Amino acid sequence: MDLARAQHSALLDNLPDLVFLKDRELRFTAVNEPLARVLGVSAEAMIGKTDFDFFPPEEAQQYLEDDQQAIAMGTRMVVEHEVRGASGAATWIETTTSPYHDADGELAGIVGITRDITVRREAAERVRESAQHYQLLFVGNPLPMWVFEISSGRFLAVNAEACSHYGYTEAEFLGMTISDIRLPEEEQRLAGVRSPPGAGHRKFGVWQHRRKDGGIIDVEI
């Protein structure tokens, strides 16, 4: 093996991703060692074979269709699939496939890179669930709620019930501070609320707030 080829192999075999090349008939022409290890065969044993030699028929058919689409599009394509191992555990993979051409500019085959994105997908799912919880617990809460910045007292977020109860639009609220809805004589007491909170929640008792129309209401914080 010449130096350039040895360097090429060393580079591919030390990548954490699974790398493969296929010819125009979508037969493997080169694979890196991580891919061969995942399939439990040698890299040499994969040459000249197709996905149908290593994957369940339904899974292999999906890979075939992805490769054919990448060739038809003539550009890089990224797809995500859920696969299940022998234990039934689910893994999410992302495969980036691109056509490549020979020295004459003719289509020679495709090159693909597959990586495990299970952790990323799980993180995205947690964000989605968190957003749903936020929607239920804050946005759709039947009680007025808001978030404010401790240092300035500026409103950072308000829910629809706060807007309805106080008469301000969301945009108006976000241009205000918590002092704007308090009575002047309660400013000194307000300073205690704006001190950094300890662990858990705290009750701050009954206050008087001023609505947009000037009306005074009693509230418990």
Side-chain angles (χ1 to χ4, degrees):
M1 182 184 295
D2 60 35
L3 178 60
R5 189 172 180 182
Q7 291 173 333
H8 180 262
S9 296
L11 175 62
L12 290 181
D13 291 343
N14 284 283
L15 289 174
D17 298 330
L18 315 180
V19 183
F20 60 85
L21 276 78
K22 297 177 181 177
D23 60 20
R24 294 172 59 179
E25 283 69 45
L26 301 178
R27 296 180 300 239
F28 289 106
T29 57
V31 300
N32 69 346
E33 285 297 331
L35 174 55
R37 283 198 300 270
V38 166
L39 296 177
V41 299
S42 68
E44 292 77 11
M46 296 184 65
I47 305 306
K49 297 181 179 178
T50 73
D51 289 316
F52 288 91
D53 294 303
F54 304 102
F55 300 100
E58 185 176 341
E59 192 174 331
Q61 181 64 33
Q62 182 62 66
Y63 298 152
L64 172 64
E65 293 173 4
D66 291 342
D67 293 343
Q68 290 173 334
Q69 185 176 354
I71 290 175
M73 292 171 56
T75 185
R76 184 176 63 180
M77 187 176 75
V78 181
V79 296
E80 296 180 4
H81 291 299
E82 182 184 36
V83 296
R84 293 187 178 273
S87 66
T91 298
W92 279 93
I93 59 171
E94 176 189 80
T95 300
T96 302
T97 310
S98 303
Y100 72 96
H101 301 81
D102 60 23
D104 298 322
E106 296 294 324
L107 176 68
I110 61 168
V111 56
I113 301 174
T114 298
R115 63 187 49 169
D116 187 330
I117 59 167
T118 305
V119 172
R120 191 180 79 191
R121 291 280 303 210
E122 290 174 347
E125 178 63 18
R126 286 194 294 272
V127 170
R128 186 189 66 79
E129 291 176 352
S130 178
Q132 288 181 330
H133 293 161
Y134 174 80
Q135 183 76 20
L136 291 171
L137 299 177
F138 183 81
V139 177
N141 199 293
L143 296 176
M145 299 183 71
W146 52 67
V147 179
F148 70 88
E149 185 178 55
I150 291 176
S151 59
S152 67
R154 181 172 60 89
F155 287 107
L156 301 177
V158 296
N159 68 354
E161 188 59 29
C163 295
S164 174
H165 206 75
Y166 285 80
Y168 294 101
T169 65
E170 182 181 10
E172 287 174 328
F173 254 125
L174 298 183
M176 299 162 53
T177 71
I178 58 173
S179 294
D180 293 324
I181 61 171
R182 260 73 173 199
L183 302 183
E185 53 268 30
E186 291 193 330
E187 275 297 319
Q188 184 173 359
R189 183 184 174 201
L190 180 60
V193 177
R194 290 171 56 179
S195 63
H201 71 279
R202 292 186 291 172
K203 290 187 176 181
F204 292 98
V206 176
W207 295 67
Q208 288 191 312
H209 283 183
R210 178 183 287 112
R211 292 166 41 88
K212 183 178 181 179
D213 61 11
I216 304 300
I217 57 175
D218 293 324
V219 300
E220 183 178 30
I221 305 297

